[in-house]
Amino acid sequence: MRWKEQLLTLTPYQPGKSIDSVKRQYNLDQIVKLASNENPFGCSKKVLSALQSHEVGFAIYPDGYATNLRESLAAFLQVEQEELIFGNGSDNLIQIISRALLHPEASTVMAAPTFSQYKHNAVIEGAVIKEVPLINGDHDLDGMLKAIDDKTNIVWVCSPNNPTGTYIPENKLVSFLDNVPPEVLVVLDEAYFEYAVADDYYDSIVLTRKYQNLIVLRTFSKIYGLASLRIGYGVANPKIIKALEPAREPFNVSSFGQLAAAAALSDKEFVEECRTVNRKGLEQYYQFCEQNQLTYYPSQTNFILIDFNEDGDKVFQYLLERGYIVRSGKALGFPTSVRITVGSFEQNEGLLKVLKEFLRESRVEQHQGK
C-alpha cells in the first residue's frame, strides 16, 4: 500500500481509559471519571424528553442541512442561517477546515501546547506546522503574528485553551485579529465558551461580523452534556461557510444529535446551573493547591491543570488504582502536571482526599531519599 508518508508518523488519538476497563483491571466497584472534561451532571431533562418522544426512523438518513437545529441555533445566536456549519463534534469541523485549506505548499500556525487535533490534521494534509510556545500558559499572540508568512492559510486559537484552561482577554484578541492578514483564516476554538466567566471575555459572534477571516467553533459536548451524540458547529461569514461546505461529509450530524442539540438550547437554566456549580468546584481545587503550595493555571473551563512536580504518569497511576481516572499532563505537553475535570462537589472531595494521601506519601519518600 502506498500510504501517505505523514500517516506513518502519527498515532491515533488516545482517549481516556473507560470506566469498565478500569473496574476490571483493578477490581474496583466504584470509578469516578474526571479525564475527558465531560459534564458530571449529564444533560438537560429537556433533551431526554425530546429523545424519548422522537419517533425512531433508523432507516432514514438525517437531514443533511440540519434544518430544525439550524433555525433554532440561528435564533439563539442571533445570526443568519447561512453563517452556520455543523459537524460531528467540533473535531469534525477542524478536519473539514484542514481539508479545505491545508496542503504541502501551505503553512499553519498554532500555540504549543494546545488541542492536539490542529497539529494532527495539519500533519495528515502535509502542511508546514509552526508552533509558538505558550507564555505562562497563555497564547503568545505576538509570536504567532510573527510566525505568519505568505504561505500561511490557517491560524488556530484555542480560547479557553486546552489543556491550560486560560483565555485571551478581549483587547488582546482584537489587537491580534487586527493584524492577521485578511487572506489567513483564524479559527477561534471555543469548546469551553459556556464555562467562561471572565469580565473581559469577548463576544466572538460579534467579532465574526467585524472580521471576515474569522470562524468560531463551539460544541454541544461540554456544558450541554451531549458528548456521545457528537455535535459541534461553526459560525462565520457566509462566504467562509459556503467555501467549506463541499469539504463537509453529507449527513455528518445524526438525527438524534440534531434533535438533542435543539432541545438543549432551550434549557438556559441548566447551563447556568452547571456554570455556577463548576465555579464552586474550581474553588475546591484552588484552595487545595494553595494549601499544598502547588502551581496551577486559573481556569475558565471545567478542568484544571495542576503541577505536582512529579512525573504526571505517576500521579495518574496512583489515582487510577484508587478509582479516579484523570489525564496525565505528560501527553499534553506538561510532564509534571495532571489535568482534572471538575466533577460534582462529592467527586471533587473524594479525589482531593486521595491527592492529599499522594502528597503525604510522596513527601515521605522524598525525605527518606535525602
Side-chain angles (χ1 to χ4, degrees), residues 42 50 83 127 149 173 183 193 197 286 296:
E83 294 177 78
D149 59 25
L173 180 62
E183 67 274 12
F193 157 75
V197 298
Y286 294 165
Y296 66 95

Side-chain angles (χ1 to χ4, degrees), residues 324-345:
Y324 290 91
I325 310 174
V326 296
R327 196 71 186 263
S328 170
K330 211 163 187 180
L332 304 174
F334 292 88
T336 60
S337 297
V338 167
R339 192 190 69 188
I340 303 169
T341 302
V342 177
S344 66
F345 178 85

Side-chain angles (χ1 to χ4, degrees), residues 220-285:
F220 285 90
S221 294
K222 303 305 179 185
I223 206 165
Y224 288 107
L226 303 180
S228 69
L229 291 175
R230 309 304 301 128
I231 181 161
Y233 64 92
V235 185
N237 181 278
K239 291 182 180 178
I240 291 177
I241 301 299
K242 185 177 180 180
L244 287 174
E245 278 289 353
R248 179 180 65 84
E249 301 167 2
F251 315 117
N252 65 327
V253 179
S254 73
S255 299
F256 287 106
Q258 294 178 37
L259 181 68
L265 287 174
S266 68
D267 196 345
K268 295 180 181 179
E269 292 79 11
F270 174 79
V271 172
E272 185 58 41
E273 177 66 18
C274 289
R275 182 188 298 114
T276 300
V277 175
N278 181 72
R279 296 316 301 178
K280 293 178 181 178
L282 281 169
E283 290 298 331
Q284 290 176 267
Y285 287 98

Side-chain angles (χ1 to χ4, degrees), residues 131-199:
E131 296 181 282
V132 180
L134 299 173
I135 298 178
N136 297 322
D138 295 324
H139 280 60
D140 177 7
L141 296 179
D142 290 337
M144 292 175 73
L145 286 172
K146 291 176 183 176
I148 296 172
D149 59 25
D150 59 1
K151 294 184 178 180
T152 302
N153 283 358
I154 306 175
V155 176
W156 305 92
V157 178
C158 189
S159 178
N161 187 42
N162 182 6
T164 57
T166 56
Y167 76 106
I168 301 171
E170 181 175 18
N171 62 327
K172 292 185 178 180
L173 180 62
V174 169
S175 176
F176 174 76
L177 293 171
D178 283 340
N179 287 282
V180 175
E183 67 274 12
V184 176
L185 181 67
V186 177
V187 181
L188 178 57
D189 189 345
E190 285 191 302
Y192 300 92
F193 157 75
E194 290 86 1
Y195 285 109
V197 298
D199 292 337

Side-chain angles (χ1 to χ4, degrees), residues 89-105:
S90 54
D91 289 359
N92 181 216
L93 293 168
I94 293 167
Q95 183 183 52
I96 290 168
I97 293 167
S98 299
R99 185 180 185 186
L101 284 166
L102 297 182
H103 49 80
E105 286 73 45

Side-chain angles (χ1 to χ4, degrees), residues 36-57:
S36 302
N37 308 333
E38 297 147 332
N39 189 336
F41 307 106
C43 65
S44 164
K45 291 180 180 178
K46 292 185 178 181
V47 170
L48 300 177
S49 177
L51 291 175
Q52 288 169 355
S53 62
H54 179 63
E55 294 185 7
V56 178

